Amino acid sequence: MNNTSTNNQTAFLLNIGTINTLKRLRSAFMHNKREIQKELGARSHIDAQKIPLNYSLVEVVSTDDLIQKVNDRIATYEDNANRSMRHDGVIAIEVLFSLPVSKNNINSHDYFEDCLIWGRDMFFPAEALTADVHMDEATPHMHVIFLCVTPTKLVASKDKGDMRKYRERKEDFFHKVAQKYGLALPPDKLLKADRVRLAKQVISQVETSADPMTCPSSNGLRQVG
């Protein structure tokens, strides 16, 4: 086995997606809280027996209350800015942190705590609304949803960035968090087998996020949901 393949198998996963409708945001909240019943069937990639092992690293708030908070924040921004948000404006970003299958000796709780600390610093002033850790799929991973609407400005463009910014963040995360857990920096280009392996790890986010950093963006209309 060559070094590239070995590094891919021990590489961390960091994925960033945007959410630009309240309907999609609600779906993301519900998915991460395991509130979508049809996702829990026999053919699901979610192990229903392990759902009780999932946990949150921030105060748990109901989906309805979260959506109300977002609606209130948008209204406050529009009042202060004296203009409406664009109909396709990005409301939130969803950041996925995942451990590789091969690294089962890592204290995942400590790792995800450090991921959340890094994320709050990196995406400030966006607010972490949820930080849901999933232990019921193939690999431990965490979804963090950041609200990108502040009372006075929209910060989604800065927080999402472009591919160059993503690579810079990936390297920053490696040096500040992943390296101390023995994880490798993922290469920019993966072998086919590694792309398949990592794709399986992000399937949950692809189902609920409009624009993963590694996929083309899609334009959704913001709507009350």
Side-chain angles (χ1 to χ4, degrees):
M1 183 180 296
N2 60 42
N3 289 336
T4 300
S5 181
T6 300
N7 287 343
N8 288 346
Q9 292 179 13
T10 61
F12 66 86
L13 180 66
L14 171 65
N15 202 63
I16 304 170
T18 60
I19 301 174
N20 61 353
T21 73
L22 289 175
K23 181 178 180 180
R24 189 174 291 115
L25 183 60
R26 177 183 288 275
S27 294
F29 287 146
M30 293 180 67
H31 169 79
N32 294 342
K33 295 175 182 297
R34 297 300 188 246
E35 295 175 349
I36 302 177
Q37 192 61 37
K38 68 180 181 180
E39 293 182 347
L40 308 180
R43 296 183 179 180
S44 173
H45 54 277
I46 298 169
D47 186 340
Q49 293 185 335
K50 292 183 178 180
I51 290 177
L53 300 177
N54 297 342
Y55 58 92
S56 173
L57 292 181
V58 300
E59 180 182 1
V60 176
V61 179
S62 73
T63 294
D64 285 343
D65 286 345
L66 286 168
I67 293 297
Q68 185 61 56
K69 178 175 182 174
V70 173
N71 271 317
D72 291 344
R73 179 65 60 79
I74 291 172
T76 298
Y77 162 77
E78 292 179 338
D79 285 344
N80 290 335
N82 197 29
R83 64 174 180 269
S84 298
M85 277 188 66
R86 289 169 52 96
H87 68 276
D88 58 351
V90 174
I91 301 169
I93 61 171
E94 183 171 13
V95 184
L96 175 67
F97 302 92
S98 183
L99 288 167
V101 175
S102 62
K103 300 292 286 187
N104 56 12
N105 59 338
I106 290 176
N107 184 320
S108 60
H109 189 279
D110 290 350
Y111 177 72
F112 292 128
E113 286 272 15
D114 285 344
C115 290
L116 181 58
I117 292 170
W118 178 86
R120 280 175 160 157
D121 179 65
M122 178 59 65
F123 299 108
F124 180 84
E127 177 185 356
L129 295 178
T130 58
D132 295 299
V133 178
H134 291 163
M135 307 295 289
D136 57 2
E137 296 183 63
T139 58
H141 59 275
M142 176 173 69
H143 298 262
V144 184
I145 295 180
F146 290 94
L147 177 59
C148 295
V149 182
T150 78
T152 58
K153 59 184 177 180
L154 306 177
V155 297
S157 294
K158 177 184 76 69
D159 282 340
K160 181 180 183 298
D162 53 17
M163 286 303 299
R164 179 187 61 81
K165 185 66 174 177
Y166 172 68
R167 286 191 291 269
E168 291 175 355
R169 284 175 170 156
K170 188 170 64 172
E171 292 180 4
D172 185 78
F173 179 79
F174 170 69
H175 290 296
K176 292 181 178 178
V177 179
Q179 191 173 40
K180 70 179 181 179
Y181 289 93
L183 299 177
L185 179 68
D188 290 332
K189 293 185 178 180
L190 302 179
L191 299 175
K192 180 178 179 180
D194 297 303
R195 290 200 304 269
V196 171
R197 178 179 61 83
L198 294 181
K200 290 179 180 179
Q201 295 180 10
V202 302
I203 189 170
S204 298
Q205 189 186 30
V206 172
E207 292 172 345
T208 57
S209 178
D211 181 22
M213 178 59 73
T214 53
C215 299
S217 63
S218 59
N219 293 321
L221 300 180
R222 182 166 66 85
Q223 52 187 284
V224 177

